């Protein structure tokens, strides 16, 4: 595995500023691997929008479309 210490520090700093952090980049660049270091995929607040079930979970949980759920507080 590639050492992503700098990336981990950036994510930690972002999580101190906000509750939601988006990891963006090309396919196969390590986004999911990095995310799994912070949020186990079996928790209800982990959404993989490439998984067909995740958008449905967002709609069910928040009652809105996934794009509208970003930044919404409970």
């Amino acid at each position: 595995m590639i050492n992503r210490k700098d990336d981990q520090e950036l994510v930690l700093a972002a999580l101190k500023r906000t509750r939601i952090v988006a990891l963006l980049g090309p396919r196969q660049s390590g986004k999911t691997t990095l995310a799994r270091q912070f949020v186990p995929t079996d928790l209800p607040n982990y959404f993989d929008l490439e998984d067909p079930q995740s958008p449905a979970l967002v709609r069910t949980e928040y009652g809105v479309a996934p794009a509208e759920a970003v930044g919404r507080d409970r």
Side-chain angles (χ1 to χ4, degrees):
M1 182 162 61
I2 297 172
N3 184 353
R4 304 269 187 208
K5 186 174 182 195
D6 292 341
D7 294 334
Q8 292 170 343
E9 290 174 5
L10 289 170
V11 171
L12 283 173
L15 287 169
K16 289 179 182 177
R17 292 188 308 269
T18 183
R19 293 174 39 192
I20 298 173
V21 174
L23 301 176
L24 306 175
R27 294 181 66 84
Q28 302 293 313
S29 62
K31 300 177 301 292
T32 300
T33 301
L34 182 61
R36 286 181 178 165
Q37 294 175 14
F38 295 95
V39 181
T41 58
D42 60 344
L43 290 181
N45 59 347
Y46 177 90
F47 298 103
D48 177 354
L49 297 181
E50 288 190 7
D51 176 358
Q53 293 181 340
S54 280
L57 291 171
V58 172
R59 277 189 218 98
T60 301
E61 177 71 20
Y62 295 101
V64 295
E68 297 169 358
V70 174
R72 185 175 175 161
D73 290 332
R74 291 181 135 199

